[in-house]
Amino acid sequence: MPADPSTNPSEPPERGAGWVAPLCWSAVALEGFDLVVLGVVLSPMLRDGVWGLTPATGSLISVVGLLGVMVGALTIGTITDIIGRRRTMLLTVVGFSVLTLLCAFAPDPWTFGVLRFLAGLGLGGVLPVAIALVNEYARQGKGGSATTVLMTGYHAGAVLTALLGIVVIPAMGWRAMFVIGALPALVLVPLILRHLPESASFLRERAGGGRTAHERNPVTILFRGGYLRATIAFWVSSFMGLLLVYGLNTWLPEIMRRAGYPLGAALALLLVLNVGAVLGLLVAGQVANRIGTRRAVVAWFAAAALFLALLTVRLPGIGVYVGVLLAGVFVFSAQVLVYAYVSQLYPAAARGTAIGAASGVGRLGAISGPLIGGALLTAGIAYPWGFYIFAAVAALGGIAVAAVAVTGTRAAA
C-alpha cells in the first residue's frame, strides 16, 4: 500500500480509531452551532434595524446559506472519496470556521449573505465526511447507533447556540456570536491534525489496482452496478425527511396556535418536539442494530406518518404533548437512519459521494418544508391539513426506502 500523505505516518489508522467518534461528533456540533446561529441573531438584528434588514431580506440570507450547504454536500462528499476523509474534514472545519469569523465583520447584508453561502459550502461537507468515518470505524453491526449518536452533536450545538444567544447578545451584540462560533476550531483543528486517522476502508479502496475509470469515479458508482434504484430512492427519502424536519421546526408553533392552543403552549410544543428528536436518535440506532437499518428506516417513517396524522385530533391536556413528543422521536431520527443506510449500502470508494448527494438533494426538501407550511398558513388550512400533508410526506419517505433492493447491501438489511 502506498504511503498516504494525509495520515500521520507514525500512527496507523487503527491506533487512532478511538478519536474518530469524539472528533467527528465535535465537528458536527460546530455544524449545528453554525447552521442555527443565523436564526438566533436575526431577531435582534431586525429589532435593532441592522443594515435596514427586513424579514424578507433575512429569509433570503437564510435560503442563500442553505443553498451553500446543499452545494457543499453535493460536491464535498465526492471530494472526500478522492482526497480522503481526514484531509477533507480539515478543509471543511477550517473553511467554515474562518468564514463564520468573517461574518462578524460583514459591513452590509450582501457581504453577509455571500459569507453565509461560502460558509455553507464547508458546513454541507462536514456531515458526509463525519458519517462516512464513524461508519467505517464502527464495530460490525453498530453502524446505525454510530450514526445516530453522531447526530446528537448537531442538536447539542443547536441548544448551545440558543443558550449562548440569551447570554451573549444582550451583553456583547450579535457579532460576538460569530466570533464565539469560530473559536472552537483553534482546539479542534490541532486535534484533528494530531489524532484523526484516515479511513482504512478508503486507503484499501485507493490502493486497489486494475479498476476501470468508471469504477474509480465515485459519481458513476452511484448510477452503475445496481445502485441506480437505491440512489434515486435515497434522494426521495432525504427530500421528504428534511422537508419534515425544517417544515415542522419552522411552523409547528403557528400551526398549533391556529388549532386553538395558546401561544405559550405552542412554543412549548416546539421544545417537546426537539426533546423527542434527541430521544429518537438514542433509541433509533439501537433498534437499527437489532433489526437492520433498512427495516428500522421504514418503521420509523411509518411511525412518523402515524403520529403526525394523529396530531389532527385536538388532544386534551397532556395528550398533545405526548403526541408531539412521539412525532419528534420518529420524524427526526428517520432522516438520520437514511444516512446510516446510505453509508452501509455503498462501497467505500463512493460512500462520501452517496451521503453527500443524499444530503444535498435533501436540502431542497429543507427549503420546501417552510415554503409549504407558509403557503398552507396563508391559505388558512394549515390545521388540520398541514399534518395530513406532513404525514403523507413521511409515508412517501418510507415507501422510497422500502423500494431499495436488499441485494448488494453489506450490513444494512
Side-chain angles (χ1 to χ4, degrees):
M1 181 183 298
D4 179 33
S6 71
T7 59
N8 184 341
S10 66
E11 180 173 294
E14 293 77 7
R15 289 181 55 193
W19 284 92
V20 171
L23 290 177
C24 289
W25 188 94
S26 300
V28 170
L30 286 185
E31 180 191 15
F33 184 103
D34 269 274
L35 287 176
V36 174
V37 70
L38 183 63
V40 171
V41 302
L42 266 182
S43 180
M45 290 174 75
L46 291 169
R47 181 194 63 212
D48 298 338
V50 177
W51 302 322
L53 279 181
T54 65
T57 309
S59 297
L60 179 61
I61 293 172
S62 178
V63 170
V64 166
L66 284 173
L67 288 174
V69 173
M70 179 183 72
V71 174
L74 290 170
T75 56
I76 294 178
T78 301
I79 290 172
T80 189
D81 287 327
I82 296 172
I83 70 172
R85 320 294 193 223
R86 180 176 182 272
R87 186 180 294 156
T88 308
M89 180 67 83
L90 279 169
L91 290 174
T92 55
V93 171
V94 170
F96 77 68
S97 295
V98 170
L99 288 159
T100 294
L101 178 63
L102 292 177
C103 285
F105 304 98
D108 54 63
W110 312 111
T111 304
F112 187 68
V114 170
L115 290 171
R116 289 301 297 169
F117 175 83
L118 295 175
L121 298 177
L123 291 168
V126 167
L127 198 59
V129 184
I131 292 176
L133 266 174
V134 297
N135 274 273
E136 286 161 354
Y137 277 95
R139 287 180 295 170
Q140 183 70 27
K142 301 295 184 181
S145 57
T147 304
T148 54
V149 170
L150 172 73
M151 288 304 295
T152 63
Y154 177 90
H155 291 279
V159 170
L160 179 62
T161 309
L163 294 175
L164 281 173
I166 294 171
V167 176
V168 171
I169 294 176
M172 304 171 64
W174 66 269
R175 293 180 187 272
M177 290 294 294
F178 291 98
V179 176
I180 291 171
L183 289 178
L186 296 175
V187 176
L188 184 59
V189 169
L191 288 175
I192 292 173
L193 280 168
R194 181 173 178 82
H195 297 292
L196 186 68
E198 182 53 271
S199 161
S201 299
F202 168 78
L203 294 176
R204 285 193 298 269
E205 285 282 350
R206 203 183 69 164
R211 292 178 296 175
T212 67
H214 283 303
E215 290 170 327
R216 290 195 301 269
N217 186 328
V219 177
T220 60
I221 291 174
L222 268 58
F223 306 101
R224 295 167 59 88
Y227 287 110
L228 175 61
R229 179 175 170 181
T231 296
I232 294 173
F234 287 132
W235 288 1
V236 172
S237 62
S238 290
F239 180 94
M240 300 301 172
L242 286 177
L243 188 158
L244 290 175
V245 169
Y246 281 79
L248 287 168
N249 260 332
T250 302
W251 291 120
L252 179 68
E254 185 60 23
I255 293 175
M256 299 310 283
R257 224 169 57 80
R258 299 290 178 93
Y261 295 95
L263 178 60
L267 292 173
L269 287 170
L270 182 59
L271 174 62
V272 169
L273 181 76
N274 282 278
V275 169
V278 176
L279 294 176
L281 287 171
L282 297 174
V283 173
Q286 299 301 323
V287 173
N289 290 344
R290 289 181 176 275
I291 70 172
T293 308
R294 179 175 181 271
R295 296 185 187 95
V297 180
V298 174
W300 244 245
F301 270 118
L306 172 63
F307 287 110
L308 285 169
L310 286 176
L311 291 179
T312 60
V313 180
R314 202 176 188 289
L315 301 171
I318 198 173
V320 66
Y321 291 93
V322 174
V324 169
L325 179 74
L326 291 172
V329 165
F330 294 103
V331 167
F332 290 80
S333 45
Q335 175 58 31
V336 177
L337 286 174
V338 170
Y339 293 145
Y341 192 15
V342 172
S343 69
Q344 295 166 10
L345 182 67
Y346 292 85
R351 189 168 296 133
T353 301
I355 299 169
S359 175
V361 173
R363 298 294 168 178
L364 294 174
I367 295 169
S368 301
L371 294 177
I372 291 172
L376 292 171
L377 285 164
T378 301
I381 58 173
Y383 186 86
W385 284 101
F387 289 124
Y388 284 132
I389 290 173
F390 285 141
V393 166
L396 289 172
I399 291 169
V401 174
V404 177
V406 178
T407 56
T409 61
R410 298 185 304 112

